[in-house]
Amino acid sequence: MSSDTPATGRLLIFTAPSGAGKTTIVHHLLDRFPQLAFSVSATTRPPRPGEVNGEDYYFLSQQEFDQAIANDHFAEWEEVYPGRRYGTLKSEIERLWQLDKIIIFDIEVKGATNLKKAFPENSLAVFVQPPSPDILFERLRKRATEDKESLRVRIARAALELTYAESFDHIMVNDDLETTLQDAEEIVAGILDNE
Ligand code: ADP
Ligand code: 5GP
């Protein structure tokens, strides 16, 4: 999938298998840096308790998602888990660049690769690596957001996703959280210095 959205701003992409810590890192950076804004993705998965439409995701029906694909509204999209599609809307990228924001993304590895291809000069992609696969699975279990089947599917996909690490600009091993958050802040500071 590619995008015909003219590249006028910057993209900071955090990618990793589910449970590695992207959301934790991205939320921390959004609290610290007002220059950043979160790319709200569209998804066909149902909201988790506490998730807000338009803030965490744009929650779409399968039909609405099909329509957005047919209308070429996505910069990228993937069926991340069976029947669960996720995608970045071109309108979201344009909206945030119009506000002069650096856009921060929390997306899986294939979508991250496609966004980098669509905006090669403007993207920085960081792969968040867990200290080990076992620790990743433990974090996912402890987060307790998934039922047994969803957990099984996420763990199965994670093994494949871990092999993508080398394709990105930075690999960040998320062992001690404080250290990880500091490293992430330094990456953003580096981007801001180059503005
Ligand atoms: P992702 O967005 O990649 O799926 P999350 O940010 O939701 O991952 O993190 C998964 C779980 O692991 C969450 O419960 C989070 O609080 C926890 N977590 C994140 N980073 C660490 C860390 N360095 N050490 C221990 N637990 C962590
Ligand atoms: P979750 O259901 O845990 O919110 O997300 C599942 C996976 O889908 C995560 O790895 C998340 O980063 C990824 N994801 C979220 N939004 C998008 C998107 O717009 N495009 C793609 N390709 N993946 C996404």
Side-chain angles (χ1 to χ4, degrees):
M1 243 130 297
S2 70
S3 168
D4 50 15
T5 301
T8 57
R10 309 291 298 262
L11 302 89
L12 175 58
I13 303 163
F14 281 86
T15 189
S18 186
K22 329 181 260 315
T23 308
T24 307
I25 297 166
V26 165
H27 283 165
H28 174 81
L29 292 176
L30 285 164
D31 282 346
R32 280 292 157 97
F33 295 97
Q35 301 92 328
L36 301 177
F38 181 60
S39 169
V40 179
S41 298
T43 184
T44 59
R45 88 146 160 74
R48 293 179 185 139
E51 283 185 332
V52 176
N53 188 36
E55 278 181 29
D56 297 285
Y57 282 105
Y58 301 111
F59 294 100
L60 302 188
S61 65
Q62 296 289 355
Q63 235 178 359
E64 288 167 329
F65 205 97
D66 285 340
Q67 198 58 53
I69 295 171
N71 291 339
D72 195 25
H73 285 172
F74 285 114
E76 63 76 33
W77 67 270
E78 294 294 328
E79 182 164 349
V80 181
Y81 307 111
R84 305 242 158 132
R85 291 178 287 175
Y86 298 75
T88 306
L89 291 161
K90 292 177 184 175
S91 57
E92 183 70 1
I93 295 179
E94 284 156 13
R95 179 178 78 81
L96 297 175
W97 277 346
Q98 262 170 17
L99 296 173
D100 259 344
K101 299 288 185 180
I102 297 168
I103 310 179
I104 189 164
F105 295 80
D106 170 344
I107 67 177
E108 53 68 61
V109 291
K110 285 191 189 157
T113 307
N114 286 332
L115 267 190
K116 257 191 88 68
K117 273 193 204 139
F119 301 102
E121 307 297 326
N122 306 55
S123 317
L124 187 79
V126 181
F127 185 87
V128 182
Q129 187 160 1
S132 71
D134 282 348
I135 291 179
L136 175 75
F137 306 151
E138 195 47 38
R139 282 183 191 165
L140 255 185
R141 268 188 219 105
K142 274 200 192 143
R143 193 175 69 185
T145 51
E146 310 307 316
D147 62 30
K148 225 174 162 189
E149 175 57 12
S150 171
L151 195 60
R152 189 190 65 72
V153 169
R154 280 166 192 259
I155 288 173
R157 188 182 167 98
L160 169 76
E161 292 186 318
L162 285 168
T163 66
Y164 276 71
E166 301 295 334
S167 345
F168 298 106
D169 302 304
H170 285 284
I171 298 178
M172 187 178 271
V173 179
N174 180 19
D175 189 353
D176 170 60
L177 186 58
E178 278 312 305
T179 309
T180 301
L181 297 179
Q182 263 174 24
D183 291 348
E185 284 182 29
E186 277 169 28
I187 288 176
V188 177
I191 295 176
L192 293 173
D193 281 349
N194 284 327
E195 284 279 282

